[in-house]
Amino acid sequence: MMVKNLFVLLLLVCSLMALRSQSRTFDAGLVAGLNFAELEGDGIMDYFGPNAGLLGRARLSDHFELGVEILYSQNGEYVLPEFYPQVRFGRVRLHHLEVPVYLSKTISLSREHNYVDLRCGLGLAYARLLGFHAEDLYRNELNPYIRYENTEALLLQAHLTFQLSRHLGVNLKATLPARRERLDWTLASRLVYTLG
């Protein structure tokens, strides 16, 4: 059901972007950076992994944009296993597909250039666990002992993007699963490059 609703939402977003793209209000680009999460519940954000993919934005008005991204996201704290061994984990790799859809407020701080300086946004994202690999501190594989029943999640997200130039920006993103179940924040720091 969630996948069907996400597909309808993406179709609507793409339709809006296609309509607005004729007046040069559509941006597309690439995003790449790192996720930071504390997967063991110890309060230390010592697990990190890439967060990279494509982005599209449609200007809705002078101060608002609708954005969508399709991302590969590693080590986000998005879904909780049904069962996992109570050991000290070593290497952990959680591979996710992440599809954020968000509304951003654009802020221009200077009239000396013709691009937006700052974007503040809120949105939702669909995440699906595609696969995982886990080891304990002694490099023993733990995959056979970990069981996921639910591999999908709805995420709440907030972001802030500082534009360094017309094409390059730095994005900071905070993500929290809508169903927390002992899950915590995942933070991301990314570079955003827009084409055109």
Side-chain angles (χ1 to χ4, degrees):
M1 182 68 173
M2 183 184 287
V3 174
K4 187 189 292 184
N5 290 339
L6 181 64
F7 179 75
V8 170
L9 182 61
L10 283 175
L11 189 61
L12 179 64
V13 168
C14 290
S15 298
L16 284 172
M17 289 179 178
L19 288 173
R20 301 292 259 154
S21 67
Q22 296 171 7
S23 62
R24 189 74 174 134
T25 57
F26 173 73
D27 285 327
L30 305 170
V31 60
L34 292 174
N35 281 335
F36 299 93
E38 57 100 13
L39 301 176
E40 293 189 68
D42 57 8
I44 302 169
M45 293 197 147
D46 53 354
Y47 286 93
F48 60 92
N51 182 289
L54 304 172
L55 86 99
R57 293 188 296 234
R59 185 174 284 284
L60 301 175
S61 71
D62 287 344
H63 300 289
F64 289 96
E65 295 175 334
L66 184 63
V68 63
E69 299 176 11
I70 299 174
L71 305 169
Y72 166 74
S73 184
Q74 188 181 88
N75 286 353
E77 192 169 357
Y78 304 151
V79 294
L80 192 64
E82 188 72 24
F83 177 80
Y84 58 95
Q86 298 296 318
V87 298
R88 293 289 296 167
F89 284 88
R91 295 180 82 185
V92 175
R93 298 291 181 258
L94 303 174
H95 308 283
H96 294 93
L97 167 70
E98 181 183 342
V99 183
V101 177
Y102 49 85
L103 183 66
S104 294
K105 167 88 169 113
T106 60
I107 301 168
S108 294
L109 302 174
S110 171
R111 297 197 185 279
E112 294 178 16
H113 50 264
N114 61 347
Y115 60 87
V116 171
D117 294 299
L118 188 64
R119 288 178 171 84
C120 308
L122 295 173
L124 298 173
Y126 165 78
R128 180 181 188 93
L129 181 67
L130 302 174
F132 65 92
H133 178 79
E135 298 175 354
D136 66 12
L137 287 176
Y138 306 105
R139 302 193 73 131
N140 298 312
E141 185 178 336
L142 299 173
N143 288 18
Y145 309 108
I146 299 172
R147 187 176 73 244
Y148 282 92
E149 295 290 325
N150 181 18
T151 58
E152 297 178 326
L154 180 65
L155 311 172
L156 308 173
Q157 294 187 330
H159 76 250
L160 189 60
T161 302
F162 302 94
Q163 286 299 130
L164 303 175
S165 70
R166 178 172 172 75
H167 298 287
L168 187 63
V170 175
N171 174 270
L172 305 173
K173 180 175 74 165
T175 302
L176 186 65
R179 289 185 56 197
R180 291 209 40 205
E181 310 172 31
R182 302 187 317 266
L183 296 170
D184 213 343
W185 293 96
T186 297
L187 303 177
S189 177
R190 313 175 309 163
L191 285 177
V192 177
Y193 182 80
T194 52
L195 308 169

